[in-house]
Amino acid sequence: MSRIAYVNGQYVRQSEAAVHVEDRGFQFADGVYEVCEVRHGMIVDLTRHLNRLDRSLRELSMAQPMSRAALTFVIREVLRRNRVRNGIFYLQVTRGAARRDHYFPADGTPPTITITAKSTDPAVSAKKYANGIKVITVPENRWDRVDIKTVGLLPNVLAKQQAKETGAQDAIFVDRKGIVMEGASSNVWIVTPDGELLTRPAEHGILKGITRTTLIDVAEKLALKVVEREFRVDEMMAAREVFFTSATGICVPIVEVDGKPIANGHPGTVSGSIRDAFFDIAEKTAI
Ligand code: PMP
């Protein structure tokens, strides 16, 4: 079955899907995106993801491509046409196509919208949950508006590639003062020796992950104490557990940082119980 993509009003075969050569997303990374998980035929946390999309567009004075009702319809249609039961959809909006010029294009230039979807193998995630992952730390080198979910991800790409080349799977950005920022595509959490769940505030300096927000709801239901404050690398190294949250991985244990084990070097129980409860508590929208 060939995959189907939605591009500016049309459902097209993905192998033939294309955007304009002068699209501003392509030339300037002048675009924003969302990735949302689909599990057992349900879209997870759609409202929060679309709220964040609205915010990203607003922060960059970018036009809404369509109403929320229409967008929801198209997302579901793309998932249906690709027969996704477990997987993700990827949605991208750019400032449109226009003759290359740094200034915004003329008012009324239609935004470009593309939506793709793919199935993922739950066994791959299960393996990550069972074994945990290894990460490296890298110096924070991103601009200070990473709270906007733009497609300008070059530092994230380079960090992940560096991780791969050193035998790890992912990377964590750390600022000059040694404060843990976030992963290259996820938020970072630790469980302190006192059993508190710690994550840094998300008002600035990181992307406010949707999974992070929902995890706070989950922790409340499980009577776990969540503290939002900054923490340093040494505090992370001394943690009982370290884990990532993101829509694609939900809650992934980190068992090694820069070649050193976290606790006994095995995934912890807190991240596991949060993951088990997550899907029940998150918002679910049927395809
Ligand atoms: N931080 C960054 C840099 C990310 O790319 C992501 C994943 N989109 C996240 C955090 C986690 O966000 P979410 O839980 O909404 O997927």
Side-chain angles (χ1 to χ4, degrees):
M1 190 191 80
S2 65
R3 285 169 66 192
I4 301 294
Y6 177 84
V7 182
N8 294 331
Q10 285 182 317
Y11 300 95
V12 289
R13 243 187 252 170
Q14 186 151 319
S15 52
E16 289 158 17
V19 292
H20 197 281
V21 71
E22 287 194 307
D23 192 273
R24 292 183 64 94
F26 179 53
Q27 293 192 326
F28 297 112
D30 191 0
V32 300
Y33 75 107
E34 282 295 328
V35 178
C36 212
E37 195 209 3
V38 176
R39 210 208 280 196
H40 308 315
M42 298 284 190
I43 306 170
V44 180
D45 278 331
L46 181 62
T47 305
R48 282 178 171 163
H49 280 277
L50 295 183
N51 287 347
R52 185 173 62 187
L53 176 69
D54 286 351
R55 177 183 181 274
S56 297
L57 292 169
R58 226 175 23 244
E59 290 293 319
L60 298 174
S61 308
M62 234 179 246
Q64 283 282 352
M66 60 180 89
S67 70
R68 181 167 299 204
L71 194 54
T72 303
F73 178 87
V74 175
I75 288 167
R76 293 168 72 212
E77 190 61 26
V78 171
L79 290 167
R80 278 197 293 264
R81 289 188 189 218
N82 287 285
R83 303 207 176 97
V84 175
R85 303 294 299 165
N86 292 291
I88 57 150
F89 74 78
Y90 174 86
L91 180 162
Q92 183 174 327
V93 182
T94 79
R95 209 182 299 275
R99 208 179 134 115
R100 188 176 183 278
D101 189 350
H102 290 65
Y103 301 117
F104 289 180
D107 285 350
T109 302
T112 299
I113 173 156
T114 59
I115 306 176
T116 52
K118 68 174 180 191
S119 297
T120 52
D121 181 359
V124 174
S125 313
K127 199 173 157 210
K128 272 192 190 171
Y129 301 151
N131 300 338
I133 61 164
K134 297 176 184 178
V135 306
I136 58 168
T137 57
V138 294
E140 176 64 280
N141 60 355
R142 302 173 300 162
W143 75 325
D144 67 357
R145 291 310 311 274
V146 291
D147 57 297
I148 308 172
K149 199 165 169 57
T150 81
V151 296
L153 293 173
L154 191 52
N156 312 54
V157 166
L158 296 178
K160 285 230 195 203
Q161 181 62 22
Q162 190 184 331
K164 189 176 171 187
E165 286 170 10
T166 53
Q169 284 108 311
D170 216 318
I172 292 177
F173 289 110
V174 174
D175 81 359
R176 282 188 197 172
K177 292 187 222 131
I179 292 168
V180 173
M181 304 301 283
E182 64 179 334
S185 60
S186 45
N187 293 121
V188 181
W189 293 73
I190 66 173
V191 181
T192 67
D194 300 334
E196 279 176 357
L197 268 171
L198 207 64
T199 196
R200 57 159 291 137
E203 273 55 59
H204 59 84
I206 62 167
L207 182 77
K208 189 171 194 169
I210 302 305
T211 319
R212 175 190 180 282
T213 302
T214 299
L215 193 141
I216 294 173
D217 299 343
V218 175
E220 200 173 290
K221 291 265 162 43
L222 297 180
L224 295 166
K225 186 170 177 208
V226 173
V227 179
E228 290 182 75
R229 72 159 167 85
E230 289 181 343
F231 55 92
R232 298 168 49 87
V233 173
D234 46 6
E235 207 171 352
M236 174 167 74
M237 299 314 296
R240 255 201 233 165
E241 292 183 34
V242 180
F243 61 90
F244 272 156
T245 56
S246 74
T248 46
I250 304 297
C251 186
V252 175
I254 294 168
V255 294
E256 196 181 292
V257 179
D258 292 333
K260 295 182 210 94
I262 298 299
N264 63 2
H266 294 286
T269 53
V270 175
S271 59
S273 52
I274 288 171
R275 199 169 49 241
D276 291 345
F278 191 91
F279 187 60
D280 278 347
I281 290 161
E283 179 201 44
K284 294 167 282 293
T285 306
I287 295 170

